[in-house]
Amino acid sequence: LVMFLNTLNSYGCFSIDVNLSGRFFKGSTAGFKNLAEKFPVDEYQESIEKKDDSEITLKKDIRRERIKTLLEAFPYLSGGARLSTVYSDLAPKFVIYCATDSGNHLFQEIGSIYDHLNLKSLLESVNDFKDNIKSDIYIALKNGFLDGKRQGIIDALNKYNGENDNGFRFIFKDDLSGINETTKAFTENVVTALFNTENI
């Protein structure tokens, strides 16, 4: 899964390796030893789908729910430096979600300090990775952010949907609003089908 999140003053790209979600390893490979030798496996039998001497894998329903819970928290992000009391709004003002089988992040170049959304770069990335995209692309923009470009974005996405048949479409509300609703729609329509999609 790949996500592009834009807050008011910064951009972020976020990826989840679905294949590794809900899998825990005893091996010593860098970054993957996340299961202690003395882990009480017997206490979690009801949650485990399979296990061997080196790995434990949770049941698919639990793995899906863990991913959904994480994604549905994005619209509510807030915080401050070092837990300060100064309020910082980290909730995204612009989001794009999709599932891919690529290790590259499709949306890394679509935002910069010079351009909140480079629409040409977005469409170019989608075309470049069209064979790797495994779901519809969900997109939403908070009202009050990029309002001057909103109609142009809507027109471009509608044009793309009308002219291309790559097995996926841009999914968005008529006015591009509804980050919370769009996030929920993505988790319900795409995340719930995960582990049924090949090569993810």
Side-chain angles (χ1 to χ4, degrees):
L1 298 180
V2 295
M3 284 72 68
F4 172 85
L5 307 173
N6 169 246
T7 62
L8 191 57
N9 297 312
S10 63
Y11 301 85
C13 294
F14 188 87
S15 298
I16 299 174
D17 188 336
V18 173
N19 184 52
L20 292 178
S21 176
R23 293 174 65 195
F24 305 94
F25 302 89
K26 295 180 182 178
S28 58
T29 304
F32 290 96
K33 187 171 184 178
N34 48 28
L35 195 62
E37 294 294 336
K38 295 182 180 180
F39 182 80
V41 177
D42 294 340
E43 295 179 20
Y44 298 92
Q45 288 294 341
E46 293 182 0
S47 301
I48 295 172
E49 181 174 279
K50 61 181 180 179
K51 62 180 179 178
D52 56 35
D53 292 338
S54 62
E55 177 186 340
I56 293 174
T57 303
L58 299 178
K59 292 180 177 178
K60 291 178 180 178
D61 287 345
I62 297 173
R63 297 171 72 187
R64 289 188 194 100
E65 195 60 34
R66 289 163 69 99
I67 296 171
K68 286 178 63 177
T69 299
L70 174 63
L71 295 181
E72 290 174 5
F74 283 148
Y76 303 98
L77 292 176
S78 64
R82 296 185 179 276
L83 301 180
S84 69
T85 57
V86 178
Y87 176 70
S88 296
D89 183 5
L90 301 179
K93 308 299 179 279
F94 175 50
V95 297
I96 303 175
Y97 305 109
C98 74
T100 78
D101 64 0
S102 170
N104 293 323
H105 206 296
L106 282 61
F107 310 127
Q108 192 161 339
E109 308 299 332
I110 69 172
S112 72
I113 59 174
Y114 304 107
D115 192 355
H116 285 298
L117 171 64
N118 187 322
L119 189 57
K120 182 178 179 180
S121 178
L122 170 62
L123 297 178
E124 182 180 349
S125 294
V126 169
N127 284 324
D128 286 348
F129 288 95
K130 62 186 179 183
D131 293 333
N132 302 103
I133 296 173
K134 300 299 180 181
S135 75
D136 287 328
I137 302 171
Y138 289 70
I139 183 170
L141 180 68
K142 194 173 185 69
N143 282 312
F145 184 74
L146 291 182
D147 280 346
K149 293 188 174 183
R150 186 178 299 267
Q151 191 57 51
I153 296 170
I154 293 170
D155 292 344
L157 299 182
N158 278 325
K159 181 179 179 183
Y160 188 92
N161 284 346
E163 294 179 352
N164 293 275
D165 185 18
N166 297 321
F168 59 83
R169 298 171 52 81
F170 283 101
I171 304 296
F172 55 95
K173 294 176 70 174
D174 289 343
D175 62 353
L176 264 183
S177 68
I179 286 178
N180 293 40
E181 297 94 328
T182 299
T183 301
K184 185 74 172 178
F186 178 74
T187 63
E188 291 297 329
N189 298 329
V190 177
V191 175
T192 53
L194 292 176
F195 309 108
N196 298 331
T197 303
E198 292 184 7
N199 299 322
I200 293 183

